[in-house]
Amino acid sequence: MLKAFPFPSLVYPPSVSAPRYVVKMSAIATKNTGIAAASLGVKPPAHPTYDLKGVIQLALSEDAGDLGDVTCKATIPVDMEVEAHFLAKEDGIIAGIALAEMVFNEVDHTLKVDWSRKDGDKIHKGLQFGKVHGRAHSIVVAERVVLNFMQRMSGIATLTKAMADAAHPAYILETRKTAPGLRLVDKWAVLIGGGQNHRMGLFDMVMIKDNHISIAGGVTNALKSVDQYLASNNIQMGVEVETRTLEEVNEALDYASQSKTSLTRIMLDNMVVPLPHGDIDVTMLKEAVELISGRFETEASGNVTLETVHKIGQTGVMYISSGALTHSVKALDISLKIDTELALEVSRRTKRG
């Protein structure tokens, strides 16, 4: 089990040293999040072993080290109470509100948090969209961990919303190109932004990629091996095969027409061809979609950007996956300030609010 993070030690008098904490991950399903239902506008994706509370404790332990917040201990009276406000420094989609509440509760369950927005809502530059009241020590200790989660999640949600809108009628998916240890958090942000989740990991979907195909000796051999494995182990789950040419698409279709198969989706990889001046050629992708003709789900991958996703979405493909949603996300600028008037003055001076 997880070792509880004893945060009262972070507000001990300066003479007391905080103990060293070691956080271990445990096999607790993510449905046991401990988040208030009112805050949980979009539920986190399910995972059989991911412990969201453990991730929060690890982030807090990373900050506290073996002494706790020495600056707080040195400068802030233990019993002082304050109110701090969340301030948006740029426009975007807010994400991580429910997770922020988990962090505050883990640090100090007496903190009171109120929001004027919920996960998935639009926020604009200069907006105060939430506040937290309680012990100053606890708020400052939680501040950076809360903001690190919220800024990353909001950046992912903002880009996902833009790409999901542009991709319509296709659905936008992320990939496994997530920050190590933060996969569930990253994928949660995609859901908040209006996207859908691809497989969570290696365990919940068979995905036959190029290296599997090369080792197996071709698409047919790989599909046959997967069907035999699933049948012999009495496993039922989605199966996707990556194809890179129209010949591989036809090979997958020929196999499926002659055999009982668990194949559910065909990935059409790098069939979007970049052209000069930022345009793309989707001829090959459209031809592949027409060949499949609704017999299986289709997914486009490769050369997917905010500029190209609309044209890709008009080809008839069902899903579009983009690693950029999570692997190179730009965090949304958000701050948590006790003196909001001074913060706004500085923001105006620096053109960040």
Side-chain angles (χ1 to χ4, degrees):
M1 286 295 294
L2 284 163
K3 181 178 179 181
F5 196 98
F7 283 100
S9 65
L10 297 179
V11 292
Y12 282 164
S15 60
V16 179
S17 295
R20 192 176 188 89
Y21 304 106
V22 178
V23 177
K24 295 181 180 179
M25 299 295 285
S26 64
I28 301 175
T30 53
K31 62 182 179 181
N32 300 318
T33 58
I35 308 171
S39 301
L40 200 56
V42 179
K43 293 181 181 179
H47 191 290
T49 62
Y50 197 97
D51 185 358
L52 194 52
K53 186 175 181 180
V55 171
I56 290 170
Q57 290 181 329
L58 183 62
L60 290 166
S61 178
E62 181 178 59
D63 245 359
D66 58 351
L67 293 177
D69 188 337
V70 293
T71 312
C72 269
K73 292 175 180 179
T75 62
I76 301 175
V78 172
D79 58 352
M80 177 176 285
E81 292 197 356
V82 296
E83 186 172 271
H85 292 258
F86 285 93
L87 180 65
K89 298 291 191 69
E90 56 185 322
D91 300 348
I93 302 297
I94 190 65
I97 283 176
L99 187 55
E101 288 199 11
M102 290 183 69
V103 176
F104 282 128
N105 186 66
E106 190 67 28
V107 173
D108 183 349
H109 66 87
T110 68
L111 294 176
K112 295 178 174 61
V113 191
D114 294 300
W115 307 96
S116 61
R117 297 293 185 275
K118 64 181 184 300
D119 280 331
D121 283 351
K122 291 181 180 179
I123 56 173
H124 62 266
K125 186 176 180 180
L127 177 71
Q128 293 182 42
F129 60 90
K131 61 184 179 181
V132 56
H133 176 86
R135 290 191 296 179
H137 268 245
S138 300
I139 292 173
V140 175
V141 164
E143 174 192 0
R144 178 43 52 196
V145 172
V146 165
L147 290 176
N148 283 350
F149 279 129
M150 290 186 74
Q151 288 177 322
R152 179 176 176 85
M153 290 183 72
S154 297
I156 292 170
T158 299
L159 180 56
T160 300
K161 172 63 174 172
M163 292 190 75
D165 287 349
H168 185 79
Y171 298 103
I172 195 75
L173 308 171
E174 84 295 275
T175 68
R176 285 169 50 240
K177 297 175 183 177
T178 53
L182 292 181
R183 178 166 301 164
L184 185 137
V185 175
D186 284 358
K187 286 178 173 281
W188 189 5
V190 168
L191 293 179
I192 291 170
Q196 294 191 16
N197 289 152
H198 211 299
R199 60 175 178 160
M200 178 60 68
L202 301 175
F203 61 91
D204 57 335
M205 179 184 188
V206 174
M207 189 166 174
I208 309 168
K209 294 177 67 66
D210 52 357
N211 284 337
H212 303 112
I213 292 168
S214 296
I215 294 168
V219 169
T220 299
N221 287 345
L223 284 169
K224 186 182 298 182
S225 295
V226 165
D227 284 332
Q228 290 172 350
Y229 174 83
L230 294 178
S232 63
N233 288 277
N234 196 27
I235 297 173
Q236 292 184 334
M237 62 172 53
V239 175
E240 179 170 8
V241 64
E242 178 180 304
T243 59
R244 297 157 289 180
T245 64
L246 295 178
E247 289 74 20
E248 286 189 331
V249 172
N250 276 314
E251 188 177 349
L253 294 174
D254 288 344
Y255 171 80
S257 68
Q258 299 171 32
S259 309
K260 183 180 179 181
T261 180
S262 297
L263 181 64
T264 52
R265 185 184 303 175
I266 298 178
M267 176 186 283
L268 309 169
D269 189 48
N270 286 313
M271 295 189 186
V272 174
V273 181
L275 298 173
H277 312 297
D279 199 3
I280 53 172
D281 182 354
V282 294
T283 304
M284 185 179 179
L285 177 62
K286 288 176 72 173
E287 189 173 345
V289 170
E290 289 168 3
L291 278 172
I292 296 165
S293 189
R295 283 175 281 179
F296 299 97
E297 296 175 351
T298 53
E299 176 186 333
S301 178
N303 292 309
V304 178
T305 66
L306 188 54
E307 292 72 34
T308 64
V309 71
H310 177 73
K311 193 168 184 178
I312 296 170
Q314 302 308 300
T315 62
V317 72
M318 186 178 296
Y319 297 104
I320 304 171
S321 56
S322 172
L325 293 179
T326 56
H327 72 54
S328 54
V329 62
K330 177 185 178 296
L332 198 71
D333 198 357
I334 299 167
S335 63
L336 180 63
K337 297 296 182 184
I338 294 170
D339 189 339
T340 53
E341 288 303 316
L342 180 58
L344 286 167
E345 179 184 327
V346 173
S347 294
R348 286 190 289 268
R349 186 174 70 226
T350 58
K351 303 187 186 303
R352 292 177 61 212

